[in-house]
Amino acid sequence: MRLHLFAPAKVNWTLEVLGRRPDGYHEVMTVLQTLDLCDRVVLSPARDVQVRVTGRVADLSEVSAEENLALRAAMALRQEVGGKGPGALIELEKVVPAAAGLGGGSSDAAAVLRGLNALWGLGLSLEELSVIGSRLGADVPFFLHGGTAQASGRGEDVTPLPDVPSRRLLIVVPPVSLPGKTAGMYRRLTPEHYTGGERTRRLVDKLTAGGSVSDDDIFNVFERVLAGAVPAAAAAIERCREAGLGRPHLAGSGPAFFFLLPEGEGTPSFQEGPLLEAGLELFYAGTLDSKASTTWREEV
């Protein structure tokens, strides 16, 4: 049997940092959203655990096989059930740009945890998988739920929310590679950047009441330190603003950013050529609900 799964990208509708924790991590409050821009994962039985990557392989050129989150997820799951047992071939087709703030690696890990739990017949609950996932990355528990959700703590405490009404986005990825980018962005935050979670709570209340997301709802604390941390990304945002694309919003810790497209309309009217010539990658994506984010297809 082979299992086919999607590993969707994400954006943060809100991303607030409340302060520094005693353990050195930062306390966050965020609302996350999966998108229909997805990596593809195929799992099949094998004698050992191995991963085969295709697609945007160049994005992972600085990532060793041992650091690959999909492989680490499989090994962590195997360790959880005694360290011995069946293997699996993990075929991973990379579509989501890596290290861009879109959560691709964490989503791959979540897909592998869900899929191998089924392939190996382990019967672990979502809560048990989330505990394993939280050791791999703060966003992994969110991707196990998918759709729209609030997260707090380091990001590992997840509360599902009603799926947002469908929205289309334009995602822009600058040609920027920054080792240790997320940790670097957090280091730039000072107490003046901390908030109390009010923006997140307001959006949660709005979504719970059946509302949609607007530009005014979106907030990302890392936008306040982006220019100093990643000047090339800040310049790319300004270039897109000048092209008439509307209000840009940073995706996670960046450097990717996104624009909400007008509801009920097709592709926005702007000149893609100058942006592509500047080395920017453009992706059109839509919101993905929790069911579509976490289903798989069996192939006998």
Side-chain angles (χ1 to χ4, degrees), residues 228-289:
V230 196
I237 286 177
E238 188 57 34
R239 185 185 292 269
C240 290
R241 200 195 309 267
E242 293 170 354
L245 279 173
R247 289 173 60 176
H249 306 285
L250 194 64
S253 59
F257 51 97
F258 66 94
F259 299 85
L260 282 181
L261 300 180
E263 296 185 78
E265 297 185 16
T267 303
S269 177
F270 71 99
Q271 294 294 319
E272 291 188 356
L275 302 182
L276 298 174
E277 290 170 6
L280 305 181
E281 290 189 274
L282 309 180
F283 300 87
Y284 292 94
T287 54
L288 196 65
D289 63 34

Side-chain angles (χ1 to χ4, degrees), residues 10-257:
K10 61 84 180 167
V11 292
N12 300 72
W13 295 133
T14 65
L15 178 49
E16 297 183 80
V17 173
L18 280 59
R20 195 77 177 261
R21 295 158 37 131
D23 61 7
Y25 290 101
H26 288 81
E27 187 79 13
V28 304
M29 283 188 70
T30 179
V31 175
L32 304 105
Q33 176 66 52
T34 45
L35 306 175
D36 61 10
L37 175 66
C38 302
D39 289 346
R40 299 177 182 89
V41 179
V42 180
L43 304 174
S44 53
R47 299 185 67 175
D48 202 355
V49 175
Q50 52 188 304
V51 62
R52 181 182 301 157
V53 183
T54 59
R56 299 177 64 99
V57 178
D59 285 5
L60 303 178
S61 60
E62 298 181 2
V63 179
S64 68
E66 293 75 16
E67 295 173 316
N68 184 291
L69 274 176
L71 180 61
R72 288 178 57 200
M75 299 307 292
L77 188 60
R78 200 185 202 190
Q79 189 65 32
E80 190 72 14
V81 294
K84 297 181 180 180
L89 171 61
I90 305 166
E91 298 175 78
L92 172 60
E93 181 185 353
K94 290 297 297 179
V95 176
V96 179
L102 299 169
S106 293
S107 189
D108 296 338
V112 168
L113 290 175
R114 287 197 316 272
L116 290 184
N117 188 43
L119 186 70
W120 291 345
L122 301 179
L124 297 179
S125 68
L126 182 60
E127 290 72 22
E128 290 171 309
L129 293 176
S130 294
V131 170
I132 300 170
S134 67
R135 301 180 195 133
L136 300 167
D139 287 339
V140 177
F142 160 69
F143 283 113
L144 287 167
H145 290 80
T148 312
Q150 178 186 350
S152 57
R154 291 191 301 116
E156 78 279 16
D157 298 326
V158 179
T159 303
L161 297 172
D163 289 312
V164 299
S166 180
R167 290 301 307 260
R168 297 293 296 170
L169 295 77
L170 172 63
I171 300 169
V172 182
V173 183
V176 178
S177 177
L178 294 170
K181 174 256 307 178
T182 300
M185 294 290 276
Y186 273 109
R187 282 195 297 269
R188 286 182 172 270
L189 297 179
T190 64
E192 68 180 14
H193 297 118
Y194 300 157
T195 50
E198 296 85 0
R199 291 175 180 268
T200 297
R201 283 191 285 269
R202 281 201 300 268
L203 181 56
V204 168
D205 289 343
K206 182 179 181 181
L207 297 180
T208 302
S212 185
V213 176
S214 71
D215 281 309
D216 290 336
D217 297 316
I218 301 173
F219 174 82
N220 187 329
V221 65
F222 290 124
E223 292 179 6
R224 299 182 176 183
V225 298
L226 181 67
V230 196
I237 286 177
E238 188 57 34
R239 185 185 292 269
C240 290
R241 200 195 309 267
E242 293 170 354
L245 279 173
R247 289 173 60 176
H249 306 285
L250 194 64
S253 59
F257 51 97

